[in-house]
C-alpha cells in the first residue's frame, strides 16, 4: 500500500483534486479528511497533518492518508 | 458525528465493546524456551524448508520402483477394477523411461531421474503411501498446503508462524520462493493465512529478478517521495494508526498492518544481504549448481533458502514448476513424461541434494525439516503414447532432518504403483508429524473461527512414530 504504483499515482491525483477545491492549506486538509475519512480532524490531528503537509507537500499527505487503517478498514 | 463513531458508540458504547470482544483473538503463541522452542512439548526441529513439485510428480518415475511395470511393459493395463483417471482412458503398462538403482546403506531404489538426491537416501524417510482427496490440481494443491480442498484455510507455514512466532525480527517468518516461470495453481492462496491473523501469510521473494520483493521501495518515478518524507511519513502513520488501533482493541488485522510497515522497513535493509549469494564460496556454488544453466534457477533458490533458514526464517517454501499450462512448465506431464519430467528432474536434483548436504555440513540438518512433496502422483499406465495421467490413490513424499529417521521407507503401493495398500496416509499425517517435531501437538494448535476450533489437520492426522528418531 505504501509503495504500490497505483497508490502513489492516486496520491498525486487526490492532491490535484484538493488544489482544485481550495488554495488554502487548512481548507485543503479539511477536504482531504472529509473525503478520505468521512469526518473532520481533531485539533491534534490538524496540527500533525498540516505540519507534515507544509514540509513535504500534499502528495505525501495524501499518501499517508491512504495508508491509515482508518481509510483502509471498514468498521 | 460520522457513521463510524455513531455505530461504535450507540447503546452506551456496548456495541463497541461487543465488537472488540468478537474481534478478539487468542493471544499469539510464542515458542517456549523450556521446550527447546516448542509450544506443547520439547521440539527437535526449529524450522522447515518445503520443496513443492507443482503439477504432480510421478512416484513410479522417482522413488516407487515396480519391476512388474518393466516385466509387463506394453501390455493392456488391468488392475482388476475400473480406474478413475482425470482426462484419459487407461493406456498400456508403461515402465519408467529411467533405469533404477539401489543406494546407501538402506538400499533404497531410486530412478536415474534423481541420482544426486539418491546419494542422500540414508538421511531421508520416504513416504510411499500418500493419498489425496482430489485428482484436480487446485483442490489437491490446497489440501497439501492447508489440509483442505477448499480455499480460505491457512497454510502449514502460516500455522507454524502463528504457533511459534519469529526468531529474527528483521526477516519474515514465512517465505515463499516461487518458480520464475509463474505461480502454481491457486497462486498466493497456497500460502495464505486464511482466517489466522494476516501477518502469518507468506512473503513472496522472486529470487533472481531485479525487484525480488514487490513494492519494497517507492517507485523511482515518484519524485515527491524522498528519504525524509518517508521517514517522517512513517512516524506520522505509526502515530495515527496506533491511536486508531487503541480505540479498537483485539482486531489483529490492524496490528498486522502496523507490523507489516515495520517489517518492510527492516526488510529494506536485510533483504539485499540475504539475497546476495556472491559471497558464497566456489565450492558451495558448485554444490548447488548455481553456475550451470540447467540448475542455475533451483540452485540459486535452494541456496537462498538455506541463507533464509540459517538467519532464522521458520518456514521456506520453494516451488518447482509453475502452472499447468502448455508448453509444460511444471510436473503435469500428460503428453511427454520423458521430456517434461526429465527437464524438471535435472533442474532440481543437484540443487536439492546440495541443500541437504549443505544443511548437514553446517550442522543445520539436525533441527531443520526438509519436506519434499507434490499434490498427487501419476498413473502407471500410459496416456497417449508417452504421458501419464493423474493418480491421487498412491504417491510419494519424503522428509529429512529435524528429528526424522533417515534411511527408512514408510508405506507402500500395490505392484503397479497405482494404489497405496500398506499404511495409506493423507498429508494430515505428514503435517501432524512435522508439527510434532516442531514441538507442537497438532490437536492442540487451534484457532476459533465461525464457531469451530480449526486445525491444520482438521479432525484427522496421526503422528507417524516410525519416522521419528
Amino acid at each position: 500500500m505504501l509503495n504500490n504504483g497505483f497508490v502513489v499515482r492516486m496520491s498525486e491525483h487526490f492532491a490535484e483534486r484538493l488544489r482544485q477545491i481550495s488554495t488554502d492549506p487548512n481548507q485543503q486538509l479539511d477536504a482531504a479528511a472529509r473525503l478520505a475519512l468521512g469526518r473532520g480532524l481533531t485539533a491534534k490531528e490538524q496540527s500533525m497533518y498540516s505540519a507534515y503537509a507544509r514540509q513535504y507537500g500534499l502528495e505525501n499527505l495524501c499518501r499517508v492518508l491512504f495508508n491509515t487503517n482508518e481509510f483502509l478498514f471498514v468498521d | 458525528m460520522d457513521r463510524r463513531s455513531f455505530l461504535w458508540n450507540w447503546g452506551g458504547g456496548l456495541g463497541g465493546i461487543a465488537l472488540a470482544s468478537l474481534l478478539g483473538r487468542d493471544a499469539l503463541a510464542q515458542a517456549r524456551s523450556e521446550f527447546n522452542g516448542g509450544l506443547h512439548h520439547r521440539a527437535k526441529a526449529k524450522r522447515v524448508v518445503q520443496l513443492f513439485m507443482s503439477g504432480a510428480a510421478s512416484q513410479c518415475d522417482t522413488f516407487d520402483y515396480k519391476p512388474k511395470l518393466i516385466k509387463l511393459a506394453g501390455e493392456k493395463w488391468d488392475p482388476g477394477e475400473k480406474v478413475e483417471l482425470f482426462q484419459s482412458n487407461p493406456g498400456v503398462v508403461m515402465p519408467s523411461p529411467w533405469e533404477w538403482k539401489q543406494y546407501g546403506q538402506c538400499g533404497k531404489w531410486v530412478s536415474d531421474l534423481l541420482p544426486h538426491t539418491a546419494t542422500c537416501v540414508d538421511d531421508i524417510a520416504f513416504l510411499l503411501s500418500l493419498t489425496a482427496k482430489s485428482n484436480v490440481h487446485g483442490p489437491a494443491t490446497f489440501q497439501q498446503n492447508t489440509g483442505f480442498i477448499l480455499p480460505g484455510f491457512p497454510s502449514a507455514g502460516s500455522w507454524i508462524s502463528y504457533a511459534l512466532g519469529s526468531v529474527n525480527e528483521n526477516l519474515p517468518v514465512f517465505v515463499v520462493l516461487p518458480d520464475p516461470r509463474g505461480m502454481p495453481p491457486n497462486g498466493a492462496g497456497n500460502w495464505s493465512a486464511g482466517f489466522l491473523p494476516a501477518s502469518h501469510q507468506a512473503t513472496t521473494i522472486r529470487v533472481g529478478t531485479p525487484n525480488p520483493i514487490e513494492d519494497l521501495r517507492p517507485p523511482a518515478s515518484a519524485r515527491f517521495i524522498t528519504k525524509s518524507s518517508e521517514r517522517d511519513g512513517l512516524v506520522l502513520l505509526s502515530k495515527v494508526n496506533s491511536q486508531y488501533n487503541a480505540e479498537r482493541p483485539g482486531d489483529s488485522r490492524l496490528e498486522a498492518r502496523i507490523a507489516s510497515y515495520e517489517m518492510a522497513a527492516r526488510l529494506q535493509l536485510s533483504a539485499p544481504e540475504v539475497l546476495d549469494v556472491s559471497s558464497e564460496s566456489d565450492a558451495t556454488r558448485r554444490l548447488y549448481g548455481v553456475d550451470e544453466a540447467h540448475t542455475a534457477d533451483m540452485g540459486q533458490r535452494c541456496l537462498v533458502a538455506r541463507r533464509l533458514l540459517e538467519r532464522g526464517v521458520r518456514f521456506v517454501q520453494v516451488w518447482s514448476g509453475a502452472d499447468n499450462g502448455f508448453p509444460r512448465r511444471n510436473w503435469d506431464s500428460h503428453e511427454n513424461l520423458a521430456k517434461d519430467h526429465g527437464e524438471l528432474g535435472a533442474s532440481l536434483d543437484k540443487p536439492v541434494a546440495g541443500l541437504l548436504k549443505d544443511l548437514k555440513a553446517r550442522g543445520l540438518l539436525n533441527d531443520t525439516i526438509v519436506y519434499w512433496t507434490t499434490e498427487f502422483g501419476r498413473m502407471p499406465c500410459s496416456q497417449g503414447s508417452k504421458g501419464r495421467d493423474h493418480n491421487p490413490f498412491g504417491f510419494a513424499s519424503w522428509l529429512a532432518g529435524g528429528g526424522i529417521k533417515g534411511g527408512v521407507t514408510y508405506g507402500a503401493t500395490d505392484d503397479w504403483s497405482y494404489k497405496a495398500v500398506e499404511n495409506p496416509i493423507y498429508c494430515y499425517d505428514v503435517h501432524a508429524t512435522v508439527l510434532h517435531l516442531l514441538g507442537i501437538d497438532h490437536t492442540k494448535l487451534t484457532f476459533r473461527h465461525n464457531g469451530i476450533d480449526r486445525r491444520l489437520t482438521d479432525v484427522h492426522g496421526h503422528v507417524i512414530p516410525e519416522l521419528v528418531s
Side-chain angles (χ1 to χ4, degrees), chain B residues 148 428 442 452-462:
Chain B
F148 292 82
Y428 311 122
H442 72 106
I452 300 177
D453 287 329
R454 285 293 190 191
R455 288 169 18 193
L456 171 61
T457 49
D458 193 9
V459 293
H460 311 295
H462 301 279

Side-chain angles (χ1 to χ4, degrees), chain A residues 1-4 8 12 38-39 48-49 52 55-56 59-60 63-64 67-70 72-73 75, chain B residues 2 4 215-219 222 224-225 228-230 232-233 237 240-241 244-245 248 253-254 257 261:
Chain A
M1 283 302 300
L2 194 62
N3 298 322
N4 180 270
V8 168
E12 290 172 320
R39 63 174 176 89
M48 282 196 308
Y49 279 124
Y52 185 76
Q55 188 167 9
Y56 297 112
E59 285 79 2
N60 273 310
R63 183 164 168 251
V64 169
N67 277 273
T68 59
N69 281 342
E70 184 169 357
L72 291 167
F73 286 92
D75 262 337
Chain B
D2 62 40
R4 193 180 297 244
D215 295 338
L216 188 61
R217 292 177 198 294
F224 65 91
I225 300 173
S228 16
S229 80
E230 276 291 83
D232 290 352
L237 192 59
V240 168
N241 279 339
Y244 180 83
N245 291 7
R248 291 154 183 81
R253 299 171 302 165
L254 306 177
R257 188 136 262 287
Y261 288 103

